[in-house]
Amino acid sequence: ESRIYAVAKSGLRMSEAFTMESLNKNAVSLPSYSISGLYTSLIYKNMTTPKATQISNSPFIDESSGSEEEDSSRSSSRTSESDSRSRSGLGSPRAMKRGVSLSSVTSESDYAIPPDAYSVDTDYSEPEQKLPKTLSSSSDNGKTEPLEKSGYLLKMGGKVKTWKRRWFVLKGGELLYYRSPSDVIRKPQGQIELNASSHIERGDGKQTIQLTTEKRTYYLTADSPNILEEWIKVLQNVLKIQAASPLFIQPETKPTMKGLLTKVKHGYSKRVWCTLVGKILYYFRNQEDKFPLGQIKLFEAKVEEVDRSCDSDEDYEASGRSLLSTHYTVVIHPKDQGPTYLLIGSKHEKDTWLYHLTVAAGSTSVNVGSEFEQLICKLLNTEGDTTSQIWRHPTLCHSKEGIASPLTTLPSEALRTEAIKLFKTCQLFINAAVDSPAIDYHVSLAQSALQICLTHPELQNEICCQLIKQTRRRHPQNQAGPIQGLQLLALCVGLFLPQHPFLWLLKLHLKKNADARTEFGKYAIYCQRCVQRTQQNGDREARPSRMEILSTLLRNPYHHSLPFSIPVHFMNGIYQVVGFDASTTVEEFLNTLNQDTGMRKPAESGFALFSDDPSGKDIEHCLQGNIKICDIISKWEQASKEQHPGKCEGTRTVRLTYKNRLYFSVQVHGETDREKLLLVYQTNDQIVNGLFPVNKELAMELTALLAQVEIGDFERPFSTPAGQVTSQSKSSQTLKQVLERFYPKRYRHGCSEEQLRQLCQRLSTRWMALRGHSAADCVRIYLTVARKWSFFGAKLFAAKPLATSSAEKSFIWFAVHEDGISILDYSSMRLTVTYTYKSLMTFGGYQDDFMLVVNNAQTKDNSTEKHLFAMTKPKILEITLLIASYINNFHQLKGAAHHLSAPALPTPQSGQKLKEPGSQPLPANNRPTKCPTLL
């Protein structure tokens, strides 16, 4: 060990220089190729950005977005997902600047605009919006309850206990504060998140309140007792709605209906976004708002269509006369309240709303909707009485013929035609015998049918009702329903669920048929599990993959809680098969993997799951925890078929790899044996590809250590004459294989046969010196040596600085690690400069290059420096997301354990060049006033 450590001491400090040509070509070439858009649109959806950042679609401009307070980093960031997709694809990351996006000034849904900033149109506004600084909402009892307010309050500082006067805006269930009303077009200085667990208490003084949230307690003081009472009333109304509403208690609840309607009440009309959840109709200012303007309880309310030719309501006539000729009207008349009118644009949309509102109101006489829908509503009123003759109605039972009209109300003629085709597809799937050699016929039918339902969500209720119908017999005691119908239903409910009351019917149907003694009953039980899991984890985004359909049809999925499986590869060349179901997320998948392999959670180990790219290029994608495994497999499969048409289906599938992504020195203390072993192989992969500085002598020592771990003691050639030739040949072959796997490519490249023989001789000598050492012992020695390099665990990226001087145009290395971003010399890998994350102002893709904007703390005015580097687009995306993850983890870990925020090694000040790594202490106070921005 002492000999190896001595070699390491010189080998890491005096690594031999190597030229650009001797490197692996992939590390330095800058090809221009695009990423598979279909696959990456799923992988990089809703990426988490660093705290206090605002994603914008405009190119980088040198502007400041204003000062911030001590807890400004708690401000939320909002991203316009649709805009960012349309204007800049993932293959071409655009420069983005911290602060409020340009659209925030004009967007009605932007959180920075206070309620009183909206213009009030007397013809199309609610009467309660005419209040000066308070926006009210109509409630169930007909009274108005204020839900939004703005005004000045004194706030006690979080760190420095002083009172500061701030302009507060309560909107959309969030309490934001600014320096003054004129700052509302900028990013707020802070945000107080209100939820059902928040509560308000009166403070010591008459004008002070204590607002307690999940994170901390805030003390707020008003200018007068009357103003304080107004604030208390509004805050209590907001908290009361959040505590009682299923929108906040169960945010994953899927609305039965949603759409943009015109609401008319008391002679005032307003265009609102409506959602029907359970027996309550909520209406919002727009689709993006999370907090409703108001709600209407439908239980026992009277719901009916208004005859436009003989309208008798004067208020309705007064404001809605101009809309009568172009809109259909539905009136909701709750008990002991005035009526509310909904103006709906088309007949089919009106029919759908009228049916679901009627069902929510619990009406016993339903004469709206299709025949199937009316029968379901009658069954609902009888609570699904099993003795009811309604169950035997032909519309609800299996049919050999096709259907003349859809089972559910659909909004267009095109969808009604598609629904009839969908029924024929279901019949073909059910009636054609499942034949293993010709299974692709059923795969094609299932994928085409379910893809249509994903493309047109209006058909999701329809296909579920069709499959319920086709798996019901009029006389179930004589003949069970077709098993293939339940198999297709299982695939269907693994993707999405129907809305109420069809979900109620589905659950009742499966409950009646669940029976572990028959195969049909077993599939019904399996469908029940799929329904529960989809309710738990939400809908899918992609149609089922070929693997998922094959497993459902041929491999008896009801016998397994996790019916599907896929191998996960490790850096040491082995793999682990992991089970999952149709709704399993990456996070749940990794929990199973870690339990099976004896590893810690990703948050503790820094490991992450990666997939390869469908294009076949040498690109990896880090998978987010909330994505579903089945969606990953399916999207990868679709993208691969598009990029490799004509190849045999089923031969290529996604390759998953589990390896370290974020390395924190403090996590070493709890490392498991498996984690240590995988870190050794991951480090060796860097060494082999020239991403870790070792000289030839140290490289040989490390190769011998890995040979001892992988193979064990070196077997010397036999001394007997008969077997000597064979044993020498075998040992020589083993040594060459070890060199091929573990020795750096640049030291093997161009070697003659004699030089290779000498390398084998040196390796055998060092390998034999390790005789008797256990694998765990060699792993410990290997990591002890490798961790002597300051940037162990860092991810390296090759880049080319775009400088004006020709002398500065050679390649450099970016080393992204827990303390910041370091630039290393390309040949010697010695540190040039380190930028801490605190000094980063902006980072990410700028046009076709990677940009870093850093705060230069050495100057008096804290000026910024802008650096541009040429990199491939996939690498720009990878380094940008990696930096963002380190920043996010830094903020998350800082609150839980303060020692995590201290760097493992002294880090140089921003822009400061050092002779040796770690020769200067970390400056005590070099944090700028602004947090970094993700580009």
Side-chain angles (χ1 to χ4, degrees):
E1 285 184 42
S2 59
R3 176 179 55 79
I4 296 174
Y5 294 154
V7 172
K9 189 174 182 181
S10 61
L12 288 170
R13 187 172 63 244
M14 299 293 292
S15 63
E16 297 183 14
F18 51 93
T19 62
M20 194 165 55
E21 290 76 18
S22 66
L23 262 181
N24 181 15
K25 293 181 180 179
N26 292 332
V28 295
S29 60
L30 300 177
S32 177
Y33 49 76
S34 61
I35 304 177
S36 310
L38 179 68
Y39 183 59
T40 52
S41 63
L42 169 77
I43 300 305
Y44 299 113
K45 184 179 180 181
N46 298 326
M47 290 299 298
T48 302
T49 60
K51 291 191 174 185
T53 64
Q54 174 71 32
I55 292 186
S56 166
N57 298 311
S58 57
F60 173 79
I61 48 176
D62 294 318
E63 290 182 357
S64 173
S65 61
S67 59
E68 298 176 356
E69 213 170 62
E70 73 279 345
D71 51 358
S72 62
S73 63
R74 301 180 187 274
S75 301
S76 65
S77 63
R78 303 203 173 182
T79 308
S80 173
E81 184 181 318
S82 59
D83 288 348
S84 61
R85 283 186 185 177
S86 61
R87 297 189 186 182
S88 63
L90 288 163
S92 176
R94 299 287 294 168
M96 302 179 184
K97 179 88 168 71
R98 184 188 57 77
V100 176
S101 62
L102 298 178
S103 61
S104 67
V105 181
T106 56
S107 171
E108 194 179 45
S109 64
D110 197 285
Y111 61 86
I113 302 179
D116 52 323
Y118 291 94
S119 61
V120 178
D121 189 335
T122 56
D123 294 330
Y124 290 90
S125 64
E126 300 267 291
E128 57 266 24
Q129 283 191 353
K130 298 173 185 176
L131 297 173
K133 291 185 180 180
T134 305
L135 179 62
S136 302
S137 171
S138 60
S139 64
D140 307 326
N141 54 15
K143 299 179 182 179
T144 58
E145 295 180 348
L147 297 176
E148 299 188 1
K149 184 173 175 60
S150 59
Y152 275 112
L153 292 173
L154 292 175
K155 172 186 167 295
M156 175 72 78
K159 295 180 180 178
V160 181
K161 301 300 181 183
T162 57
W163 292 97
K164 296 181 180 179
R165 188 173 176 83
R166 296 289 179 257
W167 178 262
F168 279 80
V169 175
L170 175 61
K171 179 177 179 287
E174 295 177 334
L175 189 59
L176 312 172
Y177 53 90
Y178 308 82
R179 284 191 181 275
S180 66
S182 60
D183 290 334
V184 295
I185 62 172
R186 299 182 177 181
K187 189 165 75 74
Q189 289 198 314
Q191 168 193 351
I192 302 176
E193 295 182 5
L194 304 175
N195 52 41
S197 63
S198 305
H199 62 274
I200 307 170
E201 297 177 8
R202 294 185 181 273
D204 298 333
K206 294 181 179 180
Q207 297 166 216
T208 303
I209 58 171
Q210 179 179 318
L211 178 58
T212 304
T213 67
E214 290 180 340
K215 294 182 178 179
R216 57 175 283 196
T217 299
Y218 298 87
Y219 296 92
L220 307 174
T221 299
D223 292 341
S224 69
N226 290 338
I227 295 177
L228 184 70
E229 292 301 322
E230 291 179 11
W231 275 103
I232 291 176
K233 182 179 179 180
V234 177
L235 288 168
Q236 286 177 340
N237 289 339
V238 170
L239 297 180
K240 181 174 67 175
I241 288 181
Q242 289 186 334
S245 171
L247 287 178
F248 303 101
I249 299 173
Q250 297 175 318
E252 71 282 355
T253 302
K254 190 176 180 180
T256 304
M257 283 291 293
K258 55 186 177 181
L260 199 59
L261 306 176
T262 300
K263 184 176 80 73
V264 182
K265 189 171 184 180
H266 301 312
Y268 293 90
S269 65
K270 183 175 179 63
R271 194 81 166 148
V272 291
W273 178 262
C274 297
T275 62
L276 176 60
V277 180
K279 297 182 182 298
I280 302 177
L281 179 68
Y282 298 93
Y283 50 94
F284 304 78
R285 179 180 286 113
N286 53 52
Q287 185 176 356
E288 286 74 29
D289 274 8
K290 295 181 180 179
F291 201 82
L293 293 171
Q295 62 187 41
I296 303 172
K297 285 191 175 178
L298 297 170
F299 183 66
E300 295 186 347
K302 185 179 180 181
V303 180
E304 57 186 355
E305 183 179 2
V306 174
D307 186 351
R308 295 179 297 176
S309 61
C310 53
D311 197 334
S312 60
D313 189 284
E314 294 180 2
D315 290 338
Y316 170 61
E317 285 285 341
S319 66
R321 188 184 304 275
S322 61
L323 300 171
L324 286 177
S325 60
T326 57
H327 286 71
Y328 295 86
T329 308
V330 173
V331 60
I332 304 172
H333 204 141
K335 277 189 173 182
D336 306 322
Q337 292 183 40
T340 299
Y341 297 89
L342 301 177
L343 307 187
I344 306 172
S346 70
K347 181 181 183 303
H348 300 302
E349 193 179 3
K350 179 266 299 179
D351 290 342
T352 308
W353 273 105
L354 182 60
Y355 173 74
H356 288 289
L357 290 171
T358 304
V359 172
S363 175
T364 55
S365 57
V366 181
N367 55 3
V368 294
S370 66
E371 183 181 18
F372 187 92
E373 289 173 328
Q374 293 182 27
L375 290 171
I376 300 309
C377 201
K378 290 176 182 177
L379 284 172
L380 192 62
N381 291 329
T382 65
E383 296 183 353
D385 182 13
T386 55
T387 62
S388 173
Q389 291 299 313
I390 300 174
W391 287 110
R392 295 191 178 186
H393 194 286
T395 307
L396 296 180
C397 299
H398 180 274
S399 170
K400 291 183 179 179
E401 294 77 26
I403 53 175
S405 60
L407 301 183
T408 59
T409 303
L410 294 170
S412 71
E413 186 63 37
L415 286 175
R416 288 195 292 276
T417 303
E418 202 62 53
I420 295 172
K421 293 180 182 177
L422 205 57
F423 189 81
K424 292 179 181 177
T425 303
C426 292
Q427 285 182 311
L428 289 173
F429 186 95
I430 292 170
N431 296 331
V434 173
D435 182 23
S436 297
I439 194 67
D440 285 327
Y441 177 69
H442 283 84
V443 171
S444 176
L445 287 174
Q447 288 183 339
S448 62
L450 294 176
Q451 182 61 60
I452 289 170
C453 295
L454 289 173
T455 307
H456 304 285
E458 301 91 343
L459 293 172
Q460 292 176 6
N461 287 337
E462 178 71 23
I463 192 172
C464 289
C465 291
Q466 290 178 3
L467 291 172
I468 292 171
K469 170 183 170 66
Q470 290 303 92
T471 51
R472 289 195 73 256
R473 300 288 188 183
R474 294 191 69 180
H475 303 285
Q477 64 273 14
N478 299 331
Q479 184 182 10
I483 291 175
Q484 288 168 219
L486 277 187
Q487 290 173 334
L488 183 56
L489 183 60
L491 292 170
C492 182
V493 297
L495 266 64
F496 50 76
L497 295 177
Q499 298 164 335
H500 182 78
F502 311 117
L503 180 58
W504 168 83
L505 176 68
L506 172 65
K507 290 181 176 180
L508 193 61
H509 172 58
L510 296 176
K511 184 178 179 181
K512 289 176 64 176
N513 288 282
D515 186 355
R517 295 169 297 180
T518 66
E519 190 173 6
F520 186 83
K522 290 175 182 177
Y523 267 105
I525 295 172
Y526 176 65
C527 288
Q528 286 180 315
R529 292 210 315 257
C530 292
V531 169
Q532 292 172 357
R533 290 286 290 150
T534 304
Q535 283 186 309
Q536 177 184 343
N537 284 357
D539 292 356
R540 292 252 300 274
E541 296 186 32
R543 70 191 190 191
S545 64
R546 187 174 188 274
M547 177 276 301
E548 185 177 350
I549 297 172
L550 289 181
S551 297
T552 303
L553 296 182
L554 303 177
R555 296 171 188 167
N556 303 327
Y558 44 77
H559 286 316
H560 314 279
S561 59
L562 300 174
F564 316 132
S565 61
I566 191 171
V568 177
H569 298 266
F570 299 100
M571 295 301 291
N572 60 344
I574 67 171
Y575 65 87
Q576 175 81 25
V577 177
V578 184
F580 58 98
D581 62 24
S583 297
T584 299
T585 62
V586 169
E587 184 178 4
E588 294 171 336
F589 185 81
L590 290 182
N591 286 339
T592 303
L593 174 63
N594 289 325
Q595 289 174 3
D596 294 344
T597 57
M599 296 177 66
R600 296 175 295 173
K601 295 179 180 179
E604 299 171 359
S605 67
F607 276 66
L609 190 66
F610 293 82
S611 81
D612 61 340
D613 192 79
S615 66
K617 302 285 187 181
D618 187 20
I619 308 171
E620 285 186 323
H621 303 287
C622 179
L623 305 177
Q624 301 177 69
N626 59 345
I627 305 177
K628 296 180 177 62
I629 295 294
C630 281
D631 280 343
I632 292 169
I633 296 172
S634 178
K635 289 276 188 177
W636 195 98
E637 181 185 272
Q638 292 178 60
S640 177
K641 285 181 181 178
E642 288 185 5
Q643 297 191 15
H644 304 278
K647 288 198 174 182
C648 182
E649 291 186 3
T651 56
R652 298 186 73 236
T653 186
V654 63
R655 179 185 174 92
L656 301 179
T657 306
Y658 195 46
K659 62 180 182 178
N660 184 268
R661 180 171 181 258
L662 302 178
Y663 182 81
F664 295 95
S665 54
V666 72
Q667 295 171 342
V668 173
H669 303 300
E671 275 181 342
T672 66
D673 291 340
R674 175 61 67 92
E675 290 170 22
K676 292 176 182 177
L677 179 66
L678 296 181
L679 272 178
V680 164
Y681 278 92
Q682 191 166 338
T683 303
N684 177 256
D685 185 69
Q686 291 180 302
I687 290 174
V688 169
N689 291 294
L691 302 176
F692 199 102
V694 289
N695 61 12
K696 290 182 178 180
E697 188 177 359
L698 180 57
M700 188 59 71
E701 296 285 358
L702 296 178
T703 301
L705 282 169
L706 262 179
Q708 184 71 11
V709 170
E710 181 89 3
I711 301 172
D713 291 342
F714 179 65
E715 295 294 337
R716 298 178 182 177
F718 296 114
S719 57
T720 58
Q724 190 169 4
V725 176
T726 304
S727 62
Q728 281 184 348
S729 175
K730 183 178 178 181
S731 61
S732 176
Q733 187 68 24
T734 301
L735 290 170
K736 287 181 180 179
Q737 290 175 352
V738 169
L739 287 173
E740 186 74 24
R741 285 187 61 190
F742 304 137
Y743 196 64
K745 291 179 181 178
R746 65 180 186 275
Y747 295 151
R748 287 187 281 110
H749 183 68
C751 285
S752 62
E753 283 294 327
E754 177 61 24
Q755 289 172 325
L756 280 176
R757 191 189 63 78
Q758 292 176 1
L759 284 177
C760 290
Q761 181 63 35
R762 289 169 54 199
L763 174 60
S764 64
T765 303
R766 284 160 176 74
W767 191 354
M768 283 189 287
L770 294 170
R771 177 174 290 276
H773 281 71
S774 66
D777 204 20
C778 293
V779 166
R780 176 184 57 81
I781 298 170
Y782 193 107
L783 288 178
T784 302
V785 170
R787 283 183 170 132
K788 291 182 182 297
W789 188 40
S790 305
F791 300 105
F792 175 84
K795 176 70 174 175
L796 266 61
F797 299 85
K800 187 175 182 179
L802 299 179
T804 54
S805 171
S806 58
E808 299 181 13
K809 286 189 177 181
S810 60
F811 283 86
I812 55 95
W813 290 111
F814 273 125
V816 182
H817 50 88
E818 60 178 321
D819 298 322
I821 306 170
S822 298
I823 295 179
L824 311 181
D825 179 75
Y826 195 70
S827 58
S828 66
M829 284 193 171
R830 291 193 178 186
L831 176 66
T832 303
V833 63
T834 292
Y835 302 110
T836 64
Y837 291 124
K838 295 179 182 180
S839 69
L840 287 187
M841 305 301 295
T842 312
F843 63 97
Y846 175 63
Q847 296 177 353
D848 292 331
D849 305 312
F850 178 71
M851 180 172 68
L852 278 180
V853 178
V854 296
N855 180 60
N856 192 348
Q858 289 180 317
T859 59
K860 293 181 180 180
D861 57 351
N862 281 349
S863 62
T864 59
E865 297 176 356
K866 175 180 172 182
H867 305 281
L868 288 175
F869 303 87
M871 297 176 68
T872 63
K873 290 178 181 178
K875 289 299 180 183
I876 292 175
L877 179 62
E878 184 181 354
I879 191 174
T880 302
L881 296 177
L882 185 63
I883 294 169
S885 295
Y886 268 115
I887 295 173
N888 281 329
N889 275 271
F890 173 80
H891 286 289
Q892 291 168 7
L893 297 174
K894 185 173 65 172
H898 293 290
H899 65 276
L900 285 181
S901 62
L905 293 170
T907 310
Q909 190 169 341
S910 168
Q912 182 176 346
K913 296 187 178 182
L914 303 178
K915 294 181 179 179
E916 288 291 333
S919 62
Q920 294 292 335
L922 181 71
N925 187 21
N926 69 336
R927 183 173 185 174
T929 57
K930 305 178 183 66
C931 285
T933 302
L934 175 65
L935 297 189

